[in-house]
Amino acid sequence: MAKLIYISGVRASELCQMRMKDLHWKAGDFGRFVVQGKGARGSGPRQREAFLFAEGRELLWWYVEEVRGLFSDDPEHPESPVWPSERLARGLGGMPSPVGPAVTTSTLRKALARASEAHLAGPVERIFPHLLRHACATHRYEAGMSLWEVQKLLGHDWTTTTVRYINPRELHQMGEKSQVARSRRGLEGLRGYYDLAA
């Protein structure tokens, strides 16, 4: 799940809510999946397509083919979660349900925290889902994806929101460029002023 957040830039809550019917293997070059995106300014969730890319498609295909069927619910049911909880799915009469509960965002965060403690020894001491989203934005931008494409990938309404996701080093460079442009405009204005005063 964590790798798919990093690859596709989706929010943890969007990933946890995915249903089997949301997977569209034939859409685009590598397939896409539908997520319930966060609406801007409290407008409520909005559906959007998230991109798998080659690496994400391979990873998700492996998971669906090799791992998903090991859970107690029915992976063929369109309403079944892509990422089910390990808790047994129970219907109203206590009988097993074909649609199991989805893993929660807090469970994903706790699992990443445990993995961080066990495996990270470098400058990054803890991984959490939103950090992976920032890493996705930064690395896609550094690899040549335009700011608009990164904005679309993350599902942002405003470019200013997307800019905050890009690594501070990149922001510094962007800030320098805009500062230079502002300085040039200011100097040109001053030159005109002094020309008139002479």
Side-chain angles (χ1 to χ4, degrees), residues 64 87 119 146 148 153 168 178 193:
V64 169
R87 295 181 178 174
H119 302 289
S146 72
W148 181 85
L153 182 70
S178 62
Y193 172 80

Side-chain angles (χ1 to χ4, degrees), residues 10-27:
V10 296
R11 297 172 182 89
S13 59
E14 294 171 340
L15 198 63
C16 289
Q17 293 172 22
M18 276 175 57
R19 302 287 170 187
M20 296 304 287
K21 67 180 182 181
D22 297 329
L23 296 174
H24 302 286
W25 299 107
K26 294 181 181 178

Side-chain angles (χ1 to χ4, degrees), residues 162-192:
T162 307
V163 167
R164 290 195 302 256
Y165 276 67
I166 296 171
N167 186 311
R169 179 183 68 217
E170 295 292 337
L171 287 176
H172 180 67
Q173 290 172 356
M174 291 170 83
E176 282 183 75
K177 289 175 187 171
S178 62
Q179 182 62 39
V180 167
R182 279 196 301 271
S183 298
R184 282 187 182 144
R185 283 195 303 271
L187 288 172
E188 286 171 4
L190 284 175
R191 185 174 52 208

Side-chain angles (χ1 to χ4, degrees), residues 87-169:
R87 295 181 178 174
L88 290 176
R90 297 283 178 201
L92 292 175
M95 299 297 291
S97 170
V99 177
V103 71
T104 64
T105 317
S106 63
T107 301
L108 174 58
R109 283 193 190 101
K110 288 174 189 171
L112 279 174
R114 285 193 303 271
S116 298
E117 288 174 15
H119 302 289
L120 291 182
V124 177
E125 296 176 0
R126 186 162 182 234
I127 294 178
F128 47 93
H130 217 66
L131 177 65
L132 295 171
R133 224 165 112 75
H134 282 260
C136 172
T138 300
H139 295 157
R140 296 282 179 196
Y141 183 75
E142 287 175 344
M145 195 177 261
S146 72
L147 190 59
W148 181 85
E149 289 170 322
V150 175
Q151 175 185 347
K152 185 176 179 186
L153 182 70
L154 298 179
H156 290 154
D157 285 333
W158 303 98
T159 308
T160 51
T161 306
T162 307
V163 167
R164 290 195 302 256
Y165 276 67
I166 296 171
N167 186 311
R169 179 183 68 217

